[in-house]
Amino acid sequence: MRDPSSNTGPEQVPSFPYLLCVGLVAAAGGLSHPGLWSLALGANLPPYVAAAPVGMALLVTFVVLRPALARARSVVDLLVAERDGTRGREMRLKDELQLAELALKKAEAAQSHAEAAAAARSKYLAAISHQVRVPLSGVTGMSDLLSETKLDDEQAALVDTVRQSADDLQSILSGVLDFSALESAELTLEDAPYDIREAAEEAVLAEVAAARKKGIELVFDAPPDLPTEARGDKDRVKQMIAVLVSNAVKFTQRGEVVVSLRGVDRAAGAEMEVSVKDTGIGIPEADRKKIFAPFSQGDARSVERYGGTGLGLAIASKLAALMSGQVSVKSTPGEGSTFTLRFAHRLRQTARGNATRGPDLSGQRFLVVDDCTPAADVLARQLSFWGATVESVRGVEDGEDALWDSMAGGPQFSAMFLDLSLSGIDATALAARISEKIETLPLVLMSPQDPKGARAAVAEGIGVAALEKPFRTENLEKALVRIAEAQADRIAETATNDEAAPKPPRRQLSRPLGPVLQPACIILADDNATNRTLIEKFLADEPMTLIHAPDGVGAVEAFGSWAPDLILMDVSMPRMDGLEATRKIRAAERAQGLARVPIIALTARAMADDRAKCIEAGMDDYVTKPIRKAELKVKITEWTGSRRMTA
């Protein structure tokens, strides 16, 4: 800036662009900077003239920067709003998190409460099972023993009523316990070898008495070549089949109930199909879904007439679902129903394609006279499978025609199977006439209703064998043995002038008629005196020494004093229960290097995990109270057959 007192040259006035630039710089750099103002004022201009470009610059700057400032303000507002929104969301998330934590705590508390309730329920049901089954065991056992004594007809009927009532009570109790276990998912399936034919036969035979009482014929139809050795839960399979057969018998007043077994072999196992067809009252379409619901029998009148809890089909359906299967029904009211059970069936590798052939009947020709078509077909199919030629007729007239044709020069019959329940005639008298007229014809008397009468007729010389229906394969084999013996005897009798001619050897029975107990020393540990007395009477005629122990402490002491071949161990006992006593015995065996003694649990507890607890404690088998004489003998035979197991 030039000194104003100096007159060395002409005065130079800054140009307008210069002032405008100064103003813009001033506006951009800060109006408060004194150096910038000195540039303008140093031009020796009046202040208002010097400020004009600066004002203009400010105006231009304001016009140019205003949109940017507005956008900046908008951005700031958005940031503030977003910040506030984030804070709000954070607060809401905190609230929701607190609510979730509270809900989780409530759920955990509810789960804990439910688990405690389930445990309490299981404990309660187990206690109820124990309290009911213990006296029930005494009722059923003593009634069984009483039925073996000499009773008149009225007394025998009363004993049968007591026994049937006890069986009904046991069935109801088992149904409630099973349904409870299934509903709470506490039931687990076993995985052990078993025979499906045997399981189905046992389920069918359990209903024979009820069917006979109503005059109904039970037919069991299983293909002779069906591979039946499998792995699974035999008891549960038998339970499902028993439910269907029991219902069929209950709701059928006349005719027959046919139980058919079929299987389809697959790469990873098989699907088993069991159909139960009856000629009963049938089920209306509207009620077919109801019958699978718990505590329901469809029509309310059925409950009044037939009774029952309505749990059977519900339990069978749930068990089938556990085995990847189902239960279905087809029915025509007034004509009958067919229930079909399907479930996964794991065949054992050794069973694929291998069926027991049985006797060789090649060259044999049999006549079957039976007016129950399904039963006749089953018998003919089994005999044909063994190689025989079978002619099956439905009535007496057709049977007589076949016999006379044979006597008149036609093919001879090796034997005749005659059903004693043929309608409209006295079949026993007919059998007597046939035996008199055709002495060379062995006659097998079949009876679905009166096996004692059939056996009595055979004892009087009418026929060579009695075959109870529905027949088991082993019983049919025994009847065939009697036929072979009769044929051999006839050949020996007709041999001329050769009294010393040896008879053809007779076939020996491949199986004993019943369980034969080995001589054994058995410790019986049970705190209930009635049960000890009952088992002692069950085994009174058997070659064994029975050592009584009133509790687990006594069982352990008896084990130390004796060398038992078997221990029957009650589970619930005072002072020391059966589980703890078993653990102590197993520990003593290990410590002393002793061989393992079989221990069979005797228990009134029948919940899902009771068997597992017994096996875990070191027991080898399990019998549920009420104890049946036949079942107990079979178990003892199994475990004392070899006297000792490998340690």
Side-chain angles (χ1 to χ4, degrees):
M1 180 179 296
R2 194 175 65 173
D3 185 1
S5 61
S6 167
N7 293 318
T8 58
E11 183 176 359
Q12 297 181 356
V13 179
S15 64
F16 183 79
Y18 171 79
L19 293 176
L20 182 60
C21 289
V22 171
L24 290 174
V25 171
L31 298 179
S32 62
H33 197 288
L36 294 177
W37 282 108
S38 65
L39 288 175
L41 295 177
N44 295 324
L45 294 176
Y48 66 89
V49 176
V54 175
M56 186 177 296
L58 292 174
L59 179 62
V60 172
T61 302
F62 177 75
V63 172
V64 173
L65 295 180
R66 183 177 181 181
L69 291 174
R71 288 194 296 272
R73 183 176 182 84
S74 298
V75 172
V76 171
D77 291 341
L78 288 173
L79 291 174
V80 171
E82 185 175 353
R83 181 199 64 187
D84 294 340
T86 301
R87 289 177 178 175
R89 286 194 298 272
E90 183 180 354
M91 294 299 296
R92 288 195 298 273
L93 287 174
K94 287 182 178 179
D95 293 340
E96 292 175 0
L97 182 59
Q98 290 177 351
L99 291 175
E101 291 176 349
L102 181 61
L104 180 60
K105 290 180 180 179
K106 290 182 178 180
E108 291 175 348
Q111 181 180 2
S112 177
H113 179 73
E115 291 174 351
R121 181 184 63 181
S122 298
K123 185 176 181 180
Y124 175 74
L125 288 175
I128 290 296
S129 173
H130 178 75
Q131 294 300 323
V132 174
R133 286 178 184 271
V134 168
L136 188 60
S137 181
V139 173
T140 57
M142 292 302 180
S143 62
D144 286 343
L145 291 174
L146 186 59
S147 65
E148 296 175 359
T149 63
K150 293 182 179 180
L151 303 172
D152 59 34
D153 292 342
E154 182 180 2
Q155 291 170 334
L158 293 174
V159 171
D160 287 341
T161 301
V162 172
R163 184 164 48 186
Q164 184 60 51
S165 298
D167 290 342
D168 292 342
L169 179 58
Q170 180 186 356
S171 177
I172 293 171
L173 176 63
S174 298
V176 172
L177 293 176
D178 285 341
F179 183 76
S180 174
L182 286 165
E183 284 290 283
S184 58
E186 295 178 351
L187 190 145
T188 56
L189 299 178
E190 286 192 357
D191 183 19
Y194 79 105
D195 188 297
I196 178 62
R197 183 196 298 272
E198 182 179 272
E201 280 185 345
E202 291 174 0
V204 172
L205 293 175
E207 297 300 324
V208 167
R212 286 175 180 162
K213 190 174 295 186
K214 301 179 70 173
I216 301 168
E217 181 157 356
L218 268 177
V219 180
F220 179 63
D221 180 12
D225 58 348
L226 178 69
T228 60
E229 296 181 15
R231 292 192 64 87
D233 193 325
K234 176 184 177 181
D235 290 340
R236 296 304 177 183
V237 169
K238 187 166 68 174
Q239 181 180 3
M240 291 187 294
I241 299 174
V243 166
L244 302 185
V245 178
S246 175
N247 281 351
V249 172
K250 179 190 295 186
F251 295 105
T252 300
Q253 299 304 317
R254 63 180 62 86
E256 66 267 349
V257 173
V258 181
V259 183
S260 301
L261 196 62
R262 298 291 182 270
V264 180
D265 194 2
R266 303 187 188 281
E271 181 180 81
M272 188 59 60
E273 178 180 296
V274 182
S275 66
V276 180
K277 182 179 181 180
D278 63 59
T279 55
I281 61 175
I283 306 169
E285 185 174 358
D287 293 333
R288 291 175 196 168
K289 291 185 178 179
K290 297 179 184 178
I291 60 176
F292 293 101
F295 306 104
S296 174
Q297 292 181 336
D299 188 350
R301 291 172 296 180
S302 298
V303 180
E304 298 177 1
R305 182 175 180 181
Y306 298 102
T309 61
L311 283 175
L313 286 175
I315 292 172
S317 297
K318 289 182 178 294
L319 288 173
L322 288 178
M323 300 180 189
S324 302
Q326 63 176 353
V327 180
S328 59
V329 61
K330 294 181 180 179
S331 184
T332 301
E335 297 183 10
S337 305
T338 300
F339 282 83
T340 302
L341 163 67
R342 294 183 179 87
F343 61 94
H345 181 64
R346 294 170 50 205
L347 290 170
R348 295 174 65 187
Q349 196 65 34
T350 57
R352 296 184 182 276
N354 297 327
T356 303
R357 285 294 308 179
D360 182 8
L361 300 182
S362 301
Q364 300 285 317
R365 187 167 180 264
F366 298 107
L367 175 63
V368 176
V369 182
D370 192 338
D371 57 3
C372 179
T373 301
D377 290 344
V378 170
L379 178 58
R381 191 181 302 119
Q382 182 66 69
L383 294 173
S384 299
F385 177 74
W386 286 332
T389 300
V390 181
E391 183 175 346
S392 183
V393 297
R394 300 295 179 263
V396 175
E397 293 183 359
D398 292 338
E400 290 180 339
D401 290 343
L403 282 177
W404 305 145
D405 290 343
S406 173
M407 295 177 63
Q412 298 294 307
F413 289 111
S414 305
M416 177 180 178
F417 290 81
L418 177 64
D419 186 1
L420 295 182
S421 63
L422 294 173
S423 58
I425 66 165
D426 184 349
T428 304
L430 173 63
R433 291 197 300 271
I434 293 174
S435 295
E436 290 177 2
K437 292 182 178 181
I438 314 176
E439 296 181 355
T440 59
L441 180 68
L443 187 62
V444 177
L445 306 181
M446 303 185 297
S447 175
Q449 303 298 335
D450 185 17
K452 291 183 178 179
R455 290 193 291 269
V458 171
E460 294 175 2
I462 304 174
V464 298
L467 181 61
E468 186 174 344
K469 297 171 67 179
F471 67 84
R472 302 190 73 163
T473 304
E474 58 205 53
N475 293 337
L476 178 58
E477 290 185 17
K478 294 173 184 177
L480 293 171
V481 171
R482 302 290 184 262
I483 291 173
E485 291 174 349
Q487 293 171 339
D489 291 341
R490 189 67 62 188
I491 292 173
E493 290 175 3
T494 57
T496 58
N497 302 323
D498 191 5
E499 297 180 357
K503 296 182 179 180
R506 295 183 175 184
R507 284 182 56 184
Q508 299 297 319
L509 296 180
S510 59
R511 305 176 184 88
L513 296 177
V516 179
L517 300 186
Q518 301 291 332
C521 174
I522 298 178
I523 295 176
L524 171 60
D526 197 317
D527 63 310
N528 188 283
T530 300
N531 284 336
R532 295 200 304 272
T533 301
L534 178 65
I535 293 174
E536 183 177 18
K537 290 184 177 296
F538 279 169
L539 305 177
D541 298 331
E542 303 299 342
M544 62 183 58
T545 300
L546 199 61
I547 310 301
H548 290 272
D551 51 35
V553 174
V556 175
E557 292 175 351
F559 172 77
S561 301
W562 296 79
D565 297 287
L566 179 72
I567 300 176
L568 300 175
M569 184 78 75
D570 186 26
V571 174
S572 300
M573 294 184 290
R575 290 209 297 170
M576 181 186 295
D577 63 25
L579 301 178
E580 182 62 25
T582 299
R583 295 189 187 97
K584 289 186 176 296
I585 290 172
R586 295 301 183 217
E589 288 173 341
R590 291 190 295 270
Q592 302 175 35
L594 301 176
R596 181 184 175 97
V597 176
I599 300 179
I600 299 177
L602 305 178
T603 178
R605 297 185 179 272
M607 300 303 290
D609 61 343
D610 288 326
R611 182 185 295 270
K613 290 180 180 178
C614 292
I615 300 301
E616 182 182 357
M619 295 180 175
D620 301 290
D621 211 334
Y622 187 98
V623 175
T624 303
K625 297 176 182 178
I627 300 169
R628 294 295 190 183
K629 181 179 181 179
E631 180 186 9
L632 181 63
K633 285 192 173 184
V634 167
K635 293 289 187 182
I636 294 175
T637 301
E638 290 177 356
W639 289 106
T640 61
S642 59
R643 301 297 300 273
R644 292 276 187 172
M645 298 187 302
T646 303

